[in-house]
């Protein structure tokens, strides 16, 4: 599969089979995602593979604001929590900010790593969807995420039980300008 085929073929999957994903395969996917670029090569993204009762608890107790996300998580055999180590991106060694964007660069790193994780999973036949609507404080508490980390996203993953069509894309003429 070429990079273009991977990018153009991947879809957000919201229904999964009940087939488990082996820990070795998850490790391989994370290893591939570890090659994502990061601010000054800080490599701040950390992954937590959530399964079983803990996954069900998060799906059932942390999605009141968008209950469909709980259904998606319950359908998936694993949910990956994407976390970042705080206070590393956007900083100089002396603690000052490098740019006016201050420490918001960590969201770029988390976004790049999340998409890379999803593409690496897709190449292996694993579907995924990046979720952002959930009770982050409660999820962080359930997972025991340390104070020096921040939960950014939850990514349900599994073997797809659906084959969604590609949504219409905007034409390049709407997306690209030249100066």
């Amino acid at each position: 599969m070429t990079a273009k085929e991977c990018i153009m073929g991947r879809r957000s999957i919201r229904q999964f089979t009940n087939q488990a994903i082996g820990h070795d395969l998850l490790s391989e996917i994370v290893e591939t995602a570890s090659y994502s670029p990061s601010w000054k090569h800080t490599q701040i993204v950390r992954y937590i593979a959530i399964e079983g009762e803990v996954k069900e608890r998060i799906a059932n107790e942390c999605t009141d604001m968008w209950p469909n996300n709980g259904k998606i998580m319950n359908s998936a055999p694993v949910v990956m929590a994407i976390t970042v180590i705080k206070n590393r991106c956007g900083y100089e060694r002396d603690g000052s900010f490098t740019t006016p964007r201050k420490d918001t660069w960590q969201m770029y790193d988390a976004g790049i790593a999340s998409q890379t994780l999803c593409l690496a999973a897709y190449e292996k036949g694993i579907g995924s969807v990046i979720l952002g609507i959930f009770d982050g404080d409660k999820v962080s508490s359930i997972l025991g995420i340390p104070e020096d980390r921040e939960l950014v996203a939850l990514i349900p993953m599994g073997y797809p039980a659906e084959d969604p069509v590609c949504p219409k894309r905007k034409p390049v003429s709407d997306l690209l300008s030249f100066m």
Side-chain angles (χ1 to χ4, degrees):
M1 173 181 307
T2 67
K4 184 175 182 177
E5 290 169 336
C6 193
I7 292 165
M8 293 180 78
R10 187 210 163 263
R11 300 282 166 269
S12 291
I13 301 298
R14 293 174 175 86
Q15 295 176 350
F16 304 92
T17 70
N18 59 5
Q19 182 180 351
I21 303 173
H23 288 187
D24 288 343
L25 180 55
L26 283 172
S27 295
E28 184 179 340
I29 291 167
V30 169
E31 179 182 24
T32 300
S34 76
Y35 283 82
S36 299
S38 62
W39 173 271
K40 295 186 177 184
H41 197 59
T42 51
Q43 302 180 69
I44 62 162
V45 176
R46 299 294 184 268
Y47 307 86
I48 303 169
I50 311 163
E51 301 171 302
E53 291 178 14
V54 175
K55 178 191 69 85
E56 290 172 16
R57 183 172 175 208
I58 289 169
N60 297 330
E61 297 178 20
C62 303
T63 59
D64 290 343
M65 66 279 296
W66 193 258
N68 197 47
N69 282 349
K71 292 177 189 172
I72 295 167
M73 285 190 255
N74 274 323
S75 170
V78 66
V79 174
M80 295 295 277
I82 307 302
T83 70
V84 294
I85 298 172
K86 299 189 283 190
N87 302 318
R88 295 230 182 125
C89 282
Y91 292 91
E92 291 298 317
R93 290 188 188 274
D94 66 5
S96 66
F97 292 116
T98 304
T99 75
R101 292 194 183 272
K102 300 182 179 178
D103 65 350
T104 61
W105 287 103
Q106 68 188 23
M107 293 305 284
Y108 283 87
D109 287 2
I112 293 167
S114 294
Q115 178 66 353
T116 304
L117 178 82
C118 291
L119 291 172
Y122 176 71
E123 183 198 24
K124 297 296 185 182
I126 303 298
S128 60
V129 62
I130 301 171
L131 304 179
I133 305 174
F134 51 84
D135 185 335
D137 290 339
K138 192 165 189 175
V139 174
S140 295
S141 176
I142 290 169
L143 295 177
I145 294 176
E147 287 293 317
D148 70 334
R149 285 208 247 164
E150 180 180 340
L151 174 65
V152 176
L154 296 174
I155 304 179
M157 298 174 68
Y159 292 93
E162 62 177 346
D163 188 18
V165 298
C166 180
K168 185 178 179 188
R169 300 295 181 193
K170 293 182 180 191
V172 173
S173 60
D174 287 356
L175 304 173
L176 175 64
S177 60
F178 294 93
M179 304 294 264

